[in-house]
């Protein structure tokens, strides 16, 4: 069977690490710098970084309409951290540039200033019994979810991982761990889609 091509939006942020994890999970990681390159991929990862910066660049280069169109046609998307914010329908405090695809409301930088970055063991039954080390870097959390959104993990009562159909989001950064289970999970989602 041919390997799946999983794109990583390469406007800013943790791109290389995602590509490495995709390769570790047995798919082909493709860095996406131009909208026309989206036609080469089976699914897309929107990485962490600064959601305002990535959002502005997405709008500037015409990625937003292209991504929305491909999503409508069935493309799965996984957003980490800033990527989660960019997929949300609503961002508390406002964020002009989002794709607005997922029925969630998120709060940016929600874990507070003192705790800008931290690690925490997360229970994620959907990916297996052993805890997953969540690396949070000025992370958002999900405050409200629509009825079709499935909560996959919480930390201190706050939703930090969720799925809605072919959309997957994590507030933390699995690409910065050696643990490929979330990338495996996404690739399974892509195979089923
Ligand atoms: N705080 C960033 C934002 O609001 C997200 C940080 C991250 O992606 N690690 O966009």
């Amino acid at each position: 069977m041919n390997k799946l091509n999983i794109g990583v939006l390469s406007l800013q942020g943790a791109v290389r690490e995602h590509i490495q994890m995709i390769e570790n999970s047995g798919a082909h990681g493709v860095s996406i710098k131009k909208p026309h390159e989206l036609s080469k991929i089976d699914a897309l990862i929107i990485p962490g970084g600064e959601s305002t910066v990535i959002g502005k660049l997405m709008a500037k280069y015409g990625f937003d309409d292209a991504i929305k169109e491909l999503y409508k046609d069935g493309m799965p998307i996984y957003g980490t951290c800033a990527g989660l914010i960019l997929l949300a329908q609503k961002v508390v405090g406002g964020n002009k540039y989002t794709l607005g695809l997922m029925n969630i409301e998120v709060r940016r930088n929600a874990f507070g200033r003192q705790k800008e970055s931290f690690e925490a063991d997360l229970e994620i039954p959907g990916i297996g019994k052993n805890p997953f080390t969540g690396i949070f870097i000025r992370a958002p959390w999900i405050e409200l979810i629509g009825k079709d959104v499935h909560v996959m993990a919480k930390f201190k009562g706050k939703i930090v991982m969720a799925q809605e159909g072919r959309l997957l989001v994590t507030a933390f950064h699995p690409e910065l761990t050696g643990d490929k289970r979330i990338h495996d999970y996404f690739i399974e989602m892509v195979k089923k889609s």
Side-chain angles (χ1 to χ4, degrees), residues 122-130 151-154:
L122 304 172
E123 301 295 330
I124 312 180
I127 63 158
K129 268 209 293 293
N130 294 337
V151 174
M152 293 190 68
K154 285 187 177 183

Side-chain angles (χ1 to χ4, degrees), residues 48-52 80-82 85 108-109 137-138 173:
E50 199 51 52
S51 57
T52 47
T80 51
C81 203
I85 296 165
R108 289 181 66 199
N109 303 323
I137 305 170
R138 297 195 307 113
H173 289 263

